Amino acid sequence: MKRRPLPVAAALAATAALLLTACGTGDAKSSDNDKIADAGQGAETPEESGEPSAAPAEDKPDGVDVSLPKDMNLVFNWDRPKDKNEAAAMQDAANFVRAIYRGVDERTTKDAAVVAYSTGDGTRYAKTQIHTRLDGDWTATGIRRHYQATTRSAPNGNSVEVAFCVDSSKFYSKEIETGKVLKGAPNITDFDYFKIVMVKLPTGDGLWQASKVYVEAKAAKCQ
C-alpha cells in the first residue's frame, strides 16, 4: 500500500498520555542483541509457518527501502487493527524493526529507513542496536517472530503504543568475516516483550515514527 512520500522534516508529537513502564534491555546472547518492548493479549506461541516479512507489502512503503536479505526473515504474526491510526502505527512499528535490521545489513546507522521510521529516543535505540552488531562485526540471520500484538491510542490521537512479543530463538548473529552463525541453547532469553510509542507527524502524510522503546527481557508471558 503506497501511502505517501517521505517528508523532509520530522516533528515529535506528544506522548505523555501513554503511561508506560520502562523495562530492562538485557539479553547478551549472541543470537539476538536487539530488544524493542512489551506486548499484550493472546497466549499463542507463533506457528512455524508465517508470511516472510523481509519486505512489507511494498519494498518502499514510504518511498524508503526497507527490504532485507532473504536469510534475515522478520515475521509479523499479528492482526491489523480496525482503527485507521492504530493500523498505520502498527505498520510503521514493523517498518521500524525492519529499519534496524536494514541498518545492520547495510552496516550503517544512517540508512534512510532509520531516519524515516524513528525519532528522538527511538532513533537512539535503533542506532544502539545497530552499533552493537557493527562493533561485534556481526550481521543477523534466521527467523525473528513478532506476535501477540496490541495497540493503544493516546487521547489526542497523535500517539499509539504498539506492544508485542518477540521470539528470537531461531534468529542468530553471524560473523561478517567468517560467516559463522553463533547459536546458543534455547532459553528464556529468546523471548522479549516490547512497547513502542509511535508518534504521528503533523504533516498529514500519515507517517508514524518510533519515539520511545521499552523492553521486558526474558518475558515468560511470550513463551
Side-chain angles (χ1 to χ4, degrees), residues 73-165:
N73 191 357
L74 307 184
V75 177
F76 297 86
N77 290 15
W78 56 38
D79 295 326
R80 183 182 179 89
K82 293 181 179 179
D83 180 85
K84 181 180 177 181
N85 280 346
E86 291 184 1
M90 177 180 280
Q91 178 178 333
D92 284 347
N95 287 332
F96 171 65
V97 177
R98 294 181 180 107
I100 292 173
Y101 286 101
R102 181 168 175 82
V104 169
D105 181 57
E106 296 291 326
R107 317 305 293 164
T108 179
T109 60
K110 298 179 180 180
D111 189 82
V114 174
V115 176
Y117 293 111
S118 67
T119 187
D121 288 344
T123 300
R124 284 186 283 275
Y125 173 83
K127 289 183 175 181
T128 297
Q129 300 309 315
I130 295 168
H131 270 306
T132 295
R133 293 195 184 269
L134 295 184
D135 293 345
D137 201 24
W138 304 322
T139 183
T141 187
I143 301 172
R144 189 178 196 259
R145 299 187 180 277
H146 310 74
Y147 52 102
Q148 292 179 204
T150 61
T151 52
R152 182 163 61 112
S153 297
N156 63 11
N158 292 327
S159 302
V160 174
E161 174 192 283
V162 180
F164 54 91
C165 285

Side-chain angles (χ1 to χ4, degrees), residues 4-17:
R4 63 271 159 179
L6 178 67
V8 175
L12 179 62
T15 61

Side-chain angles (χ1 to χ4, degrees), residues 30-76:
S30 62
S31 63
D32 191 20
N33 215 8
D34 31 29
K35 308 296 175 185
I36 306 183
D38 271 69
Q41 92 322 343
E44 265 183 67
T45 300
E47 298 176 3
E48 284 303 308
S49 61
E51 182 179 353
S53 299
E58 295 183 4
D59 285 342
K60 298 181 179 181
D62 297 290
V64 179
D65 193 348
V66 292
S67 61
L68 295 170
K70 290 182 179 179
D71 71 330
M72 197 182 289
N73 191 357
L74 307 184
V75 177
F76 297 86

Side-chain angles (χ1 to χ4, degrees), residues 12-31:
L12 179 62
T15 61
L18 292 175
L19 302 178
L20 299 175
T21 302
C23 303
T25 56
D27 196 279
K29 111 179 162 69
S30 62
S31 63

